[in-house]
Amino acid sequence: MSVRTLPLLFLNLGGEMLYILDQRLRAQNIPGDKARKVLHDIISTMFNRKFMEELFKPQELYSKKALRTVYDRLAHASIMRLNQASMDKLYDLMTMAFKHQVLLCPRPKDVLLVTFNHLDAIKGFIQDSPAILHQVEEIFRQLTEVKCFFLLCLWQTYGGLSAGEFQLIRQTLLTFFQDLHIRVSLFLKDKVQNSNGRFVLPVSGPVPWGTEVPGLIRMFDSKGKEVKKVEFKHGGNYVTAPKEGSFELYGDRVLKLGTNMYSVNRPVETHMSGASKNLAPRTQENIAPNPLAKEELNFLARLMGGMEIKKPSGPEPGFRLNLFTTDEEEEQAALTRPEELSYEVINIQATQDQQRNEELARIMGELEVTDQPRQSASKGDDLLAMMDGL
Amino acid sequence: MFRRERSIPLRGSAAALCNNLSVLQLPSRNLTHFGVVHGPSAQLVSAAPEGVPLAQRQLHAKEGAGVSPPLITQVHWCVLPFRVLLVLTSHRGIQMYESDGSVMVYWHALDSGDASPVQAVFARGIAASGHFICVGTWSGQILVFDIPAKGPNIVLSEELAGHQTPVTDIATEPAQGQDYVADMVTADDSGLLCVWRSGPEFKLLTRIPGFGVPCPSVQLWHGTVAAGYGDGQVRLYEASTGTLHVQISAHARAICALDLAPEAGKLLSAAEDTFVHIWKLSRSPESGYTEVEHCHGECVPDTQVCGARFCDPSGSSFAVTGYDLAEILRFSSV
């Protein structure tokens, strides 16, 4: 499978996570400055330079369990806490949302447009900060710089890829999401998902950019002259694509996939698709009692080594976010989660590999926040030029 | 015109690959074999004519170094003059089995020597040509294996150069003597088609350039190449010259499978837009040019189709697989 898939998977899932957290922070009436701090802390952790360098290295995708551990860490990058049931629900919503976006992308390379939609929205989360100006400016400057680095990485990795390589990336992503049929009430309400958990694939609307509306058979002679033209009934109801989405730093993406669908304040519930016939057993995930293979532990150690988690500083008290409407609902969800959907949060202490265990413990326990502003030397000139545009 | 027949259940859902269904018709035994790739495993099912499943078997890609088990890219039955072999291609290599999948008779590990770290290494594209089995690779090379009438003494006899990007599909037809010289066509991720003549040494006859989209699936019928593309087009070319004869705006999404019912000259196209279309190919008696007529369109609701095959030589029935679907859908004409 494609070894260029992880950055796309990570950023888009991270983007969905921010949308959901933003909605829940509002729904739970968390004070504005605390809410913004949480989002800022998560965003700066996501775009940490060392972390991104690790992320963009060519590598295979890891299991859903391993990736879930990274998001668990990311969600706890600030003063916010989540119980396991809420973390499970958050991850379910994130994965189903991105699965839907990948499935509905008109062309394989449109997953980049989805990524840009998430990135554009993340910019919005920082920009609408108020009051404490110097703090905001500093965060903005740091974030701008690392986001430039991220965009550079994005272009270097994906800028020159062919349609065939994007098709392989798409197939790799779909393999990651295979057999996931969790029903999301927002999707069910919007008729985006059927009651059996499968997404609706519309057969109307604009065709992908570069594709012709189906329905025409053209026949040519040996000199290339068209000699006959026949129409046939395709069965769908398609129209020409109005224009192509922009792959530039700024632009009209045209595609709506990857934009924030939670902006209307609606409660989001998931229904565990308990009907086992929908969950074809994936032998690899169910067998191992210790869920992580050695290689996955290496990956986590490297990736999280690059994550710089801020410790809660000073008098800022933490708070718990609930993804459900009430605490009772959250408890109930924890009790009734079907076995096959358990993510089994990694118990690092239980691993056999003593050396790896110690290294991970060190990384996860003792990360310090670096306060000095980033000063790049020669790269700074190029970045400054890009920053002026932001 | 077609109605849904009873589906055949699968133990694992079908993976989002192209050409993800192989069918072996055994009319003498009143049986049909189906092969579908799930991911790290492939599933073989035998069914009676009414679709009642009789036997199941799972095959796995041979293990290798790496984080997760290697993924299978394709499973396909190769009908040779004296035997039938089942070929399985993966990210590690090529496995060949007796037709029921019971015994592996040959293993070829892929050489990833030249690959850069960002390149995926795999084999993909399988077809039988006479007593040869041809398999495509990530580098664009076509490996030609010489298959004995029985036994495991399979030998890699040739490596064909013609493609620069990963091979997607290979199609062959029996050499028709003097009428149609070309008997094999190979396709790749750039949309390039190479037309070959088989023999002790394969000869490249024509190249038909792509136009920026992959060609995931290809068929060959009476000297005509039928190619399905990532932009939903089906194109028919004269194999020996590469001349374009027919261009069909057939689908609204990437085509994932093409199949032929050679007795009837019927072509089946399936795509990610949830549609399966059946076309009738013919040659105009006056001009001699290839003509195409649309016969039937079938929508498989909310299913990203990933494989489709006719189930009989006259094209009166076909089977379909879809991403995330743990069953093989069957249709037959009324």
Side-chain angles (χ1 to χ4, degrees):
Chain A
M1 290 276 106
S2 173
V3 291
R4 294 181 176 104
T5 316
L6 188 62
L8 292 178
L9 182 63
F10 180 78
L11 180 74
N12 285 293
L13 285 179
E16 287 301 315
M17 182 170 97
L18 289 166
Y19 290 161
I20 297 162
L21 289 177
D22 172 59
Q23 196 264 348
R24 285 313 297 165
L25 287 165
R26 274 187 249 234
Q28 213 169 298
N29 293 315
I30 302 293
D33 56 334
K34 280 197 182 171
R36 267 184 298 276
K37 177 167 174 48
V38 167
L39 295 180
H40 285 178
D41 287 348
I42 292 176
I43 292 169
S44 35
T45 311
M46 271 174 73
F47 288 96
N48 174 289
R49 195 189 181 99
K50 257 200 329 170
F51 180 72
M52 280 201 286
E53 279 171 355
E54 276 303 323
L55 194 70
F56 274 88
K57 285 186 182 157
Q59 56 200 307
E60 286 178 31
L61 279 192
Y62 293 79
S63 66
K64 285 194 272 295
K65 285 195 179 81
L67 209 58
R68 152 76 200 258
T69 310
V70 177
Y71 286 106
D72 203 298
R73 194 88 187 105
L74 193 60
H76 289 97
S78 186
I79 56 176
M80 180 186 72
R81 289 275 151 284
L82 288 167
N83 283 346
Q84 170 138 348
S86 280
M87 189 64 222
D88 283 345
K89 178 173 166 178
L90 178 63
Y91 194 61
D92 287 345
L93 290 172
M94 285 158 57
T95 43
M96 286 309 285
F98 189 42
K99 177 175 183 175
H100 177 244
Q101 288 152 20
V102 173
L103 209 50
L104 261 71
C105 267
R107 300 171 301 177
K109 82 184 269 195
D110 288 342
V111 74
L112 270 188
L113 291 176
V114 174
T115 311
F116 278 122
N117 275 335
H118 281 116
L119 202 57
D120 292 343
I122 287 173
K123 267 199 278 221
F125 281 129
I126 321 160
Q127 275 167 353
D128 78 16
S129 305
I132 314 168
L133 214 53
H134 70 276
Q135 196 177 46
V136 168
E137 275 177 8
E138 179 57 21
I139 295 170
F140 190 70
R141 203 193 62 75
Q142 284 185 12
L143 283 167
T144 309
E145 188 187 307
V146 296
K147 286 239 301 300
C148 287
F149 178 69
F150 175 79
L151 284 167
L152 205 69
C153 291
L154 206 65
W155 274 117
Q156 280 173 351
T157 310
Y158 302 106
L161 290 193
S162 67
E165 281 158 323
F166 275 112
Q167 173 71 318
L168 191 65
I169 287 173
R170 177 190 161 82
Q171 288 176 346
T172 308
L173 286 169
L174 289 177
T175 303
F176 183 81
F177 292 124
Q178 200 169 332
D179 300 324
L180 220 53
H181 299 296
I182 298 162
R183 299 186 330 259
V184 177
S185 73
L186 192 61
F187 288 149
L188 295 170
K189 247 178 246 169
D190 290 348
K191 304 256 186 287
V192 147
Q193 192 178 25
N194 292 321
S195 55
N196 61 6
R198 285 164 202 282
F199 287 117
V200 171
L201 299 182
V203 293
S204 58
V207 287
W209 184 259
T211 294
E212 286 176 15
V213 174
L216 199 59
I217 306 172
R218 296 161 67 198
M219 290 168 264
F220 306 90
D221 66 13
S222 52
K223 297 202 177 43
K225 186 158 95 68
E226 187 180 299
V227 293
K228 200 167 168 186
K229 194 151 79 172
V230 176
E231 283 185 16
F232 71 93
K233 196 161 175 305
H234 169 73
N237 188 12
Y238 294 101
V239 295
T240 331
K243 62 176 177 171
E244 188 179 17
S246 164
F247 290 86
E248 302 295 317
L249 199 58
Y250 296 107
D252 180 6
R253 311 298 175 196
V254 181
L255 202 61
K256 292 286 162 267
L257 298 170
T259 55
N260 193 347
M261 65 178 160
Y262 302 102
S263 33
V264 179
N265 216 339
R266 299 186 266 182
V268 189
E269 299 137 41
T270 52
H271 302 278
M272 295 303 110
S273 186
S276 342
K277 69 174 158 67
N278 280 341
L279 299 164
R282 305 206 59 194
T283 43
Q284 192 57 29
E285 306 256 50
N286 291 342
I287 284 174
N290 179 4
L292 288 188
K294 184 158 186 244
E295 291 81 7
E296 287 192 329
L297 281 175
N298 288 344
F299 156 69
L300 278 182
R302 277 198 316 274
L303 207 55
M304 296 206 280
M307 268 175 149
E308 294 181 5
I309 307 294
K310 291 176 165 51
K311 282 208 155 75
S313 48
E316 195 86 68
F319 65 92
R320 189 173 66 78
L321 189 72
N322 187 348
L323 268 275
F324 299 84
T325 339
T326 62
D327 286 347
E328 291 71 36
E329 251 190 71
E330 194 187 41
E331 275 171 38
Q332 192 57 23
L335 292 170
T336 57
R337 191 175 179 84
E339 190 55 50
E340 58 266 23
L341 289 174
S342 155
Y343 287 113
E344 288 167 40
V345 178
I346 311 308
N347 181 358
I348 300 294
Q349 270 60 48
T351 59
Q352 309 276 4
D353 192 332
Q354 199 48 31
Q355 189 190 22
R356 186 60 55 209
N357 182 16
E358 280 162 10
E359 190 177 326
L360 262 177
R362 179 187 63 76
I363 290 169
M364 290 176 78
E366 299 168 23
L367 292 173
E368 301 285 342
V369 63
T370 52
D371 269 311
Q372 61 269 47
R374 295 177 196 291
Q375 303 284 354
S376 340
S378 59
K379 274 193 191 156
D381 293 339
D382 296 335
L383 285 176
L384 268 169
M386 285 173 78
M387 275 161 67
D388 284 345
L390 285 166
Chain B
M1 279 186 56
F2 277 83
R3 64 153 187 260
R4 267 288 294 272
E5 300 284 359
R6 177 194 179 136
S7 299
I8 300 170
L10 290 169
R11 277 219 195 105
S13 58
L17 298 164
C18 293
N19 306 309
N20 192 6
L21 176 63
S22 181
V23 170
L24 180 68
Q25 303 161 21
L26 299 167
S28 54
R29 291 169 56 191
N30 232 5
L31 266 187
T32 311
H33 288 332
F34 298 86
V36 181
V37 177
H38 166 67
S41 66
Q43 195 171 354
L44 311 178
V45 190
S46 313
E50 318 78 51
V52 176
L54 299 172
Q56 289 228 22
R57 175 172 262 132
Q58 277 194 316
L59 298 176
H60 295 264
K62 245 169 97 84
E63 289 295 330
V67 172
S68 36
L71 295 174
I72 299 175
T73 53
Q74 199 176 356
V75 70
H76 190 63
W77 274 282
C78 290
V79 177
L80 303 147
F82 296 107
R83 69 198 294 193
V84 176
L85 288 183
L86 177 72
V87 180
L88 197 140
T89 50
S90 74
H91 284 251
R92 294 281 175 273
I94 301 160
Q95 292 152 245
M96 297 193 192
Y97 295 81
E98 295 296 355
S99 67
D100 61 357
S102 56
V103 179
M104 181 165 14
V105 295
Y106 184 69
W107 156 249
H108 174 92
L110 283 174
D111 175 17
S112 60
D114 283 339
S116 75
V118 283
Q119 245 167 335
V121 169
F122 54 85
R124 185 176 60 187
I126 307 166
S129 176
H131 62 91
F132 296 106
I133 286 180
C134 298
V135 180
T137 66
W138 57 277
S139 62
Q141 259 192 346
I142 311 283
L143 304 176
V144 182
F145 296 92
D146 195 335
I147 315 290
K150 57 181 185 202
N153 284 339
I154 294 168
V155 171
L156 173 62
S157 77
E158 235 190 316
E159 292 175 27
L160 307 177
H163 294 277
Q164 309 293 323
T165 58
V167 173
T168 49
D169 196 18
I170 306 177
T172 58
E173 67 171 346
Q176 308 276 338
Q178 284 200 311
D179 287 355
Y180 317 110
V181 174
D183 55 6
M184 179 165 92
V185 61
T186 55
D188 73 21
D189 262 351
S190 73
L192 170 71
L193 302 169
C194 288
V195 181
W196 310 81
R197 180 173 64 218
S198 69
E201 271 180 28
F202 279 64
K203 183 165 167 5
L204 177 63
L205 299 176
T206 330
R207 300 170 76 111
I208 304 173
F211 43 95
V213 282
C215 175
S217 203
V218 75
Q219 289 290 333
L220 188 58
W221 183 73
H222 291 187
T224 300
V225 171
Y229 294 87
D231 65 353
Q233 275 193 47
V234 173
R235 290 184 170 198
L236 270 61
Y237 303 90
E238 184 77 47
S240 49
T241 60
T243 316
L244 174 67
H245 279 308
V246 184
Q247 191 172 329
I248 314 174
S249 311
H251 291 274
R253 295 283 188 279
I255 286 174
C256 60
L258 290 181
D259 198 29
L260 266 182
E263 276 175 24
K266 288 219 179 119
L267 178 72
L268 182 151
S269 67
E272 292 181 4
D273 64 356
T274 78
F275 281 90
V276 175
H277 286 294
I278 298 181
W279 317 86
K280 177 90 174 65
L281 311 184
S282 57
R283 276 204 194 260
S284 154
E286 311 99 40
S287 58
Y289 299 139
T290 314
E291 297 204 331
V292 172
E293 190 193 311
H294 181 253
C295 299
H296 179 73
E298 191 74 42
C299 175
V300 189
D302 302 329
T303 303
Q304 183 182 282
V305 179
C306 56
R309 295 276 178 194
F310 282 117
C311 294
D312 67 278
S314 65
S316 60
S317 61
F318 62 92
V320 173
T321 54
Y323 165 66
D324 251 359
L325 216 56
E327 54 183 354
I328 302 173
L329 306 173
R330 293 167 60 243
F331 299 83
S332 62
S333 60
V334 290

